[in-house]
Amino acid sequence: MDERDFVEINRSYPGGTQAYCRETIPRIGRNDPYVTQIHIDNILEQGHETAVSFAKALRGNTNVKVVCFGINHNDVFDLILSALTETQVEEIGIWPLAGTLPTRSERAVCANYYATKIAKTINFIPKVRKLVLSRCMIGPNTAMSLADNIAENKTLLHVDLSDNAIGDDGAAAFAHALLKNSTLKELSLDNNQISTQGQIALRNSIYDTSSFDALENCNHTLQSFFNGSPRNVFGKAVMQDCFHSLAANLRSKTRKEAITMKIHRCLQKKYKIKLQHQSFSCMQSGVMPYLLAFISKRCVVATMYDIIRGFPNLLEMDQCNKSGNDDLTDKLGTLKIED
């Protein structure tokens, strides 16, 4: 990385923090295009007035894209976080091992405080794309607060919560948030004390086969739950379902394509159907009309060659439903996909 692209606010800056304050805060204030990434650390050593000056300089800045916080005192963080709502910052992170607080317990409390504040502010930072809160001692309560805000967020693409302790309650909160969020691509949850219960909730957020309606309403945009090994998040009970569903989301260009891949897997796994006419003929007759109606309305039928050969009028079923067979569609939401 070119030195001019990274200004680090700590003791390693030539001349120390005081020199940084004297030389760099004005550059940020005048929107210097070479100052794009900032690591904020130890700024409070220069007093509260310096923190106020730094926050004021940030407001309205359009060139700073990455801001990383060390662990310091709360009032500094509040000032700067408030200023970020008036910037074009795209990435925010916390380095819990950096900062002036001397003990591990103090850093843990402060890191969790930072994460809680970010959770409440993230939707007011207009261009943020990436949020890194790894190793911030985040528990279920903070995770649930963050999940509530991510559910409504329209800009975040990557969220890293690895090496925290969100547990099953936090996992369930994020699973619920994913049903509403349609922009997030990566949610890293490695090493978060998530048991089988939480893993199933996460699986169901991207692949819920309890009914055809539930399958359609899953998240079809998320592409990853992990930074490292998937075993850091999932056990054997849900591993394969998660792999296939995340791959379907990754490979699909549209929502319909993702649903098509998932219904394909569901039919093969639960009904032993291989999308051939003969396989469909063996299904219980009560399910057939609803299943075909689901496929004709929600899937990319053109890619299901065997279905089209077996049911050449399948594409016309949608028109039949519109012309008076609404009962078929009404029943889809309650029809169970039974084992």
Side-chain angles (χ1 to χ4, degrees):
M1 182 182 297
D2 194 311
E3 288 185 3
R4 65 184 183 181
D5 291 332
F6 187 84
V7 177
E8 187 175 4
I9 308 173
N10 59 19
R11 291 187 180 90
S12 67
Y13 189 87
T17 307
Q18 186 174 6
Y20 159 79
C21 296
R22 183 175 60 253
E23 298 171 12
T24 311
I25 288 180
R27 293 175 62 192
I28 296 173
R30 63 175 179 264
N31 213 11
D32 189 324
Y34 293 127
V35 183
T36 61
Q37 305 190 40
I38 303 175
H39 176 204
I40 302 169
D41 191 9
N42 297 339
I43 191 173
L44 194 64
E45 292 179 356
Q46 301 303 310
H48 186 81
E49 185 177 344
T50 302
V52 173
S53 298
F54 179 72
K56 183 178 180 180
L58 266 180
R59 294 185 184 277
N61 185 288
T62 59
N63 288 312
V64 173
K65 302 300 181 184
V66 180
V67 173
C68 186
F69 294 94
I71 301 300
N72 291 293
H73 296 266
N74 296 342
D75 55 348
V76 177
F77 182 80
D78 291 343
L79 283 169
I80 297 173
L81 188 61
S82 174
L84 291 181
T85 63
E86 299 180 31
T87 69
Q88 303 295 307
V89 166
E90 297 178 0
E91 179 177 343
I92 299 173
I94 294 176
W95 286 6
L97 300 181
T100 58
L101 300 182
T103 68
R104 177 181 174 85
S105 60
E106 285 181 299
R107 289 196 298 270
V109 170
C110 196
N112 191 267
Y113 173 86
Y114 281 16
T116 302
K117 283 287 188 177
I118 287 177
K120 296 178 179 179
T121 311
I122 195 67
N123 287 353
F124 298 99
I125 303 175
K127 299 293 184 179
V128 64
R129 299 287 187 269
K130 185 175 183 179
L131 178 62
V132 181
L133 300 177
S134 178
R135 295 176 295 174
C136 286
M137 318 297 180
I138 295 174
N141 290 335
T142 301
M144 287 187 281
S145 176
L146 181 59
D148 287 342
N149 285 280
I150 286 178
E152 307 299 331
N153 188 276
K154 305 298 183 184
T155 62
L156 278 170
L157 300 178
H158 311 276
V159 175
D160 184 356
L161 293 174
S162 56
D163 300 299
N164 285 293
I166 71 170
D168 290 340
D169 289 341
F174 279 108
H176 181 72
L178 287 172
L179 298 180
K180 298 180 179 180
N181 184 289
S182 59
T183 55
L184 194 64
K185 300 294 185 184
E186 296 180 11
L187 174 61
S188 300
L189 299 177
D190 307 61
N191 305 317
N192 261 285
Q193 303 176 16
I194 302 173
S195 72
T196 301
Q197 178 183 349
Q199 294 169 23
I200 291 174
L202 292 173
R203 187 273 311 274
N204 288 345
S205 70
I206 57 174
Y207 183 70
D208 185 351
T209 60
S210 61
S211 73
F212 294 119
D213 199 38
L215 185 62
E216 180 191 8
N217 291 328
C218 288
N219 179 290
H220 302 297
T221 55
L222 191 75
Q223 299 174 1
S224 179
F225 274 119
F226 39 83
N227 272 331
S229 169
R231 293 184 178 86
N232 293 336
V233 183
F234 298 114
K236 293 181 179 180
V238 301
M239 182 79 75
Q240 291 303 315
D241 284 343
C242 290
F243 265 150
H244 282 273
S245 299
L246 292 172
N249 291 353
L250 176 63
R251 295 198 300 264
S252 301
K253 296 181 180 179
T254 66
R255 175 184 174 86
K256 271 193 171 185
E257 287 183 9
I259 295 174
T260 301
M261 294 183 187
K262 293 175 185 180
I263 192 66
H264 187 290
R265 175 173 173 77
C266 175
L267 293 174
Q268 286 187 324
K269 188 175 179 180
K270 289 205 167 189
Y271 285 115
K272 312 302 180 185
I273 292 175
K274 298 181 180 180
L275 299 182
Q276 297 172 351
H277 184 203
Q278 291 81 1
S279 298
F280 274 102
S281 299
C282 296
M283 278 189 69
Q284 51 182 303
S285 60
V287 175
M288 280 289 295
Y290 308 116
L291 175 58
L292 294 178
F294 179 91
I295 292 175
S296 68
K297 290 174 66 68
R298 276 100 168 162
C299 297
V300 183
V301 185
T303 65
M304 296 183 172
Y305 302 111
D306 289 327
I307 290 184
I308 295 175
R309 284 198 295 269
F311 301 93
N313 65 335
L314 181 59
L315 290 170
E316 300 175 5
M317 291 187 65
D318 188 31
Q319 298 301 322
C320 294
N321 290 338
K322 290 180 180 178
S323 63
N325 196 8
D326 293 333
D327 181 60
L328 203 63
T329 302
D330 293 339
K331 292 180 180 179
L332 270 172
T334 58
L335 179 67
K336 301 297 182 181
I337 306 177
E338 300 177 354
D339 293 315

